[in-house]
Amino acid sequence: MTKFKTYALGMLTAAAAQPALATDLEVTHWWTSGAEAAAIGVIADGFQKSGNTWVDGAIAGAGGVARPLITSRITGGDPMGATQFTHGQAMRELIEAGFMRDVTEVAEAQGWKDQIFPQSLLDSCTFEGKLYCVPSNIHSQQWLWLNNAVFTDSGLTVPQNWDEFVAVAPTLREKGIIPLAQGQQPWQKQLMFSVLMVSIGGPELFEKVYGELDAEYAAGPDVAKVFTAAAEARDLMTGSNVQAWNEAARLVIDGRAAGQIMGDWIQGEFTQSGMKAGEDFSCLPGLGVHEYITAAGDAFYFPKVDDPEIIAAQDILAGVIVSPETQVDFTMAKGALPVRRDVELRDPTPCIEKGMEILKAGHIVESINTMVSPDTVGRVTDLMVEFFADPSFTPEAAQTEFAEIIATAD
C-alpha cells in the first residue's frame, strides 16, 4: 500500500488563526454513529482551537429525520449558526428564498477553487455566481461491503461482483446467515435502488432516466434488469429487520450477515470495530460491475444572521472544514474521500484508494438529489419502500409505476 504523509496537526488556516472571539456557535448535523461522531469531533476540535465554542446540535435518525427539522428552524426564524446538509434541491430552495448567506469571500481568500475537487462540489454550492456552502467530504453510495470470514468459514470464495454474491446466497442461508443486511428506513431503500441503477444498469442508464427523464426508456428492457436485481436484493434481505444503517452494519461486522449495500461512510464502522480493509472485509465499488460512484458528499451551510460575532465564527468554521489537517483526520475517521486535491492521507485503506482511483479517473455520476426535485425523490422513495416490503409486488408492476413517476418528474 502506498504510504502517504499527513499535514502537521498544529497547522491552522488563516481563518482559524484569527483572534479568539469566544463566540458560541450552534452546529446541527445528523452524524451520530460511532465513526460519524468521531469525524464531527475532528471539525469541532479544530473550530474550538480558534477560541470559539462549538455547541453541538446532533439530530438522531439520519438525514430523513434531520433535514425537515433543520429546514423548519431556518424558515421559522430560529436559525442555527451552521448546519450540515446534503447537496440538492432542498437546500437550493432555501438559498433561493434568501435564508442562507454566501461564503464567497472566504472561498476566494483561501483559494478553494484551486484545491477543491471535483469542480462539481463547488458547482453544487453555487447560486447566481455566489458560493453558499462548504464541501466537507466526498461520499459515494455505490459499494457492496462483505465480511470475508463469513464466506471463507462457509467454504466459499469471497465474491467479486453482484452475480457471484447472489449465487452463493443459498449456501449462506443454509448456514443461518442473512446474505444482505439492510436497514428499514426509507432513505436506505431509495439508496439501494439508486445504487442498483448505476451499478447494474450503468451510468448511461442512470443519466437517461434521471438526467433526461426518458419515461419510455424507464419502461424498457434495460431498466427491467435493474428491477430484476432489486427483486434479488429483496430476497437476500429477508431477515434483516433492523432500522438504522449502522445497525445493519453491525450484523455484517458480527458475522450474522454477509454483506451490505451502503455508502463509503460504513467503512468507519468497520475500522472502529478493529476490522482491516482487504483482510477482514472487502469493498466492491459499483458492486463489482460498473465501477462508477457519486461524488456529492456533505457540506456545511450558514443561515443568515445579524450578529457580527456569529458571522465571524461562521467564517472561521468554513476555513477549518476545508483546511488540510481537518480534511486528513476527518476523512480517515468517517471513511470518506477528501475534497482537496492537495492533501495526502495517512495510510489510506485499500477501499479509500479504490475510491480515489475511481474519482481521479472521472468515473463519477451525479446524485439523484441534484438531478430531480425533492418531490420526485420522495415519490421514488415511497415506491421503493413499498416494493422492498412486499414480496408479492412484482418487478414488472414496480417498473410500470416507476416509469409513470419519471413521465411526470421535474
Side-chain angles (χ1 to χ4, degrees), residues 10 20 101 130 144 157 163 165 191 234-235 245 249 284 294 328 333 353 377 387 396:
R101 65 171 288 238
K130 299 290 186 179
L144 174 60
T157 300
D163 287 342
F165 180 66
L191 179 146
R234 182 173 61 188
D235 292 340
W245 68 268
L284 303 181
T294 46
V328 168
E353 289 186 322
V377 174
F387 176 76
E396 294 78 14

Side-chain angles (χ1 to χ4, degrees), residues 33-193:
S33 76
E36 289 174 332
I40 197 68
V42 171
I43 297 177
D45 290 346
F47 176 69
Q48 299 214 139
K49 288 178 182 177
S50 70
N52 294 285
T53 301
W54 172 286
V55 180
D56 197 68
I59 302 172
V65 173
R67 276 188 286 265
L69 294 176
I70 292 169
T71 300
S72 178
R73 281 193 56 184
I74 294 172
T75 58
D78 181 30
M80 60 295 294
T83 187
Q84 169 235 348
F85 218 82
T86 46
H87 301 277
Q89 292 295 329
M91 182 55 73
R92 177 57 62 94
E93 291 173 1
L94 291 177
I95 294 171
E96 291 177 349
F99 286 106
M100 313 306 291
R101 65 171 288 238
D102 76 83
V103 290
T104 308
E105 289 187 9
V106 178
E108 291 177 347
Q110 298 182 15
W112 294 1
K113 186 176 181 180
D114 295 329
Q115 300 302 341
I116 292 181
F117 177 83
Q119 177 65 33
S120 59
L121 295 174
L122 291 178
D123 292 343
S124 297
C125 290
T126 302
F127 175 68
E128 294 184 344
K130 299 290 186 179
L131 198 68
Y132 283 86
C133 70
V134 184
S136 59
N137 56 275
I138 296 171
H139 267 322
S140 50
Q141 300 177 349
Q142 294 74 19
W143 298 82
L144 174 60
W145 304 86
L146 305 172
N147 183 329
N148 293 347
V150 168
F151 296 94
T152 56
D153 291 349
S154 300
L156 300 168
T157 300
V158 178
Q160 297 300 305
N161 57 54
W162 176 252
D163 287 342
E164 291 180 6
F165 180 66
V166 173
V168 300
T171 301
L172 297 172
R173 284 283 186 204
E174 291 173 0
K175 296 182 178 295
I177 298 168
I178 302 167
L180 187 64
Q182 181 70 29
Q184 301 301 314
Q185 295 165 325
W187 70 268
Q188 296 183 62
K189 309 301 186 183
Q190 187 271 112
L191 179 146
M192 176 171 286
F193 182 65

Side-chain angles (χ1 to χ4, degrees), residues 195-206:
V195 169
L196 292 171
M197 287 191 70
V198 173
S199 302
I200 302 300
E204 294 83 5
L205 178 147
F206 194 70

Side-chain angles (χ1 to χ4, degrees), residues 166-316:
V166 173
V168 300
T171 301
L172 297 172
R173 284 283 186 204
E174 291 173 0
K175 296 182 178 295
I177 298 168
I178 302 167
L180 187 64
Q182 181 70 29
Q184 301 301 314
Q185 295 165 325
W187 70 268
Q188 296 183 62
K189 309 301 186 183
Q190 187 271 112
L191 179 146
M192 176 171 286
F193 182 65
S194 289
V195 169
L196 292 171
M197 287 191 70
V198 173
S199 302
I200 302 300
E204 294 83 5
L205 178 147
F206 194 70
E207 172 61 27
K208 283 185 70 67
V209 172
Y210 288 129
E212 301 176 17
L213 297 178
D214 189 332
E216 183 177 353
Y217 183 76
D222 290 343
V223 177
K225 296 176 183 178
V226 176
F227 277 89
T228 297
E232 292 174 336
R234 182 173 61 188
D235 292 340
L236 299 180
M237 288 158 46
T238 301
S240 179
N241 298 319
V242 297
Q243 290 295 315
W245 68 268
N246 53 309
E247 293 173 332
R250 176 51 58 182
L251 294 177
V252 180
I253 292 167
D254 292 345
R256 289 176 285 166
Q260 183 176 357
I261 292 175
M262 187 48 62
D264 55 6
W265 53 86
I266 195 178
Q267 186 175 185
E269 301 298 309
F270 283 100
T271 55
Q272 276 212 335
S273 298
M275 301 178 73
K276 294 184 177 181
E279 298 179 20
D280 302 313
F281 68 92
S282 294
C283 51
L284 303 181
L287 311 188
V289 184
H290 291 98
E291 292 190 350
Y292 280 74
I293 61 175
T294 46
D298 297 275
F300 282 77
Y301 294 78
F302 304 96
K304 282 184 178 178
V305 295
D306 296 325
D307 188 331
E309 292 188 355
I310 295 293
I311 294 172
Q314 290 175 333
D315 289 347
I316 290 172

